Amino acid sequence: MVQGFLILLLCQLTGEWLMVWLGIPVPGPVAGMILLLIGLVIYGRVPKYLRLPAEGLIRHLSLLFVPAGVGLMVFAEVLAQQWLAILVSLLLSTFITLVVTAWILQTLESRQRK
């Protein structure tokens, strides 16, 4: 289990270093998840020592959103001023995500049937 946490943290740290070194405006943890995904695709499966800590983190994922929610309160005034733009962007991005996901699903299903 410690080995799995270590791998997750090393992927995140490597992602942070890469984004700082390359100067790309992508969060380090996102880059780390991409690196982890690439590693898992190359390995071919999720090892048990990595699955257990990852499932533990996912089980308590809602707790990780508390700091972000509290951080939003710092910008309560900006949110109150820009509520319409925020609402429109949230609705539009959700709609676009649903459409693209449905299109990808249909494409993959049609390829699988052939």
Side-chain angles (χ1 to χ4, degrees):
M1 188 143 160
V2 173
Q3 183 182 8
F5 274 121
L6 181 63
I7 290 172
L8 293 173
L9 289 173
L10 283 175
C11 285
Q12 181 177 354
L13 181 63
T14 305
E16 287 282 353
W17 281 342
L18 273 175
M19 294 305 101
V20 169
W21 184 64
L22 295 173
I24 299 174
V26 173
V30 173
M33 285 193 312
I34 293 170
L35 292 172
L36 179 63
L37 176 65
I38 292 169
L40 291 175
V41 167
I42 290 170
Y43 190 70
R45 63 181 178 86
V46 180
K48 187 175 182 177
Y49 60 82
L50 187 60
R51 179 181 306 272
L52 291 175
E55 286 176 351
L57 287 172
I58 289 172
R59 201 172 301 121
H60 302 292
L61 187 63
S62 61
L63 292 176
L64 300 176
F65 288 105
V66 171
V70 171
L72 281 175
M73 295 302 106
V74 173
F75 298 103
E77 186 176 315
V78 175
L79 292 172
Q81 292 172 354
Q82 302 292 329
W83 69 271
L84 183 59
I86 294 169
L87 180 65
V88 168
S89 64
L90 284 172
L91 292 174
L92 188 62
S93 64
T94 301
F95 178 74
I96 291 170
T97 302
L98 287 172
V99 169
V100 170
T101 303
W103 176 75
I104 290 173
L105 182 61
Q106 284 182 336
T107 304
L108 292 175
E109 279 184 343
S110 67
R111 284 185 185 178
Q112 188 176 14
R113 288 183 186 148
K114 289 181 182 180

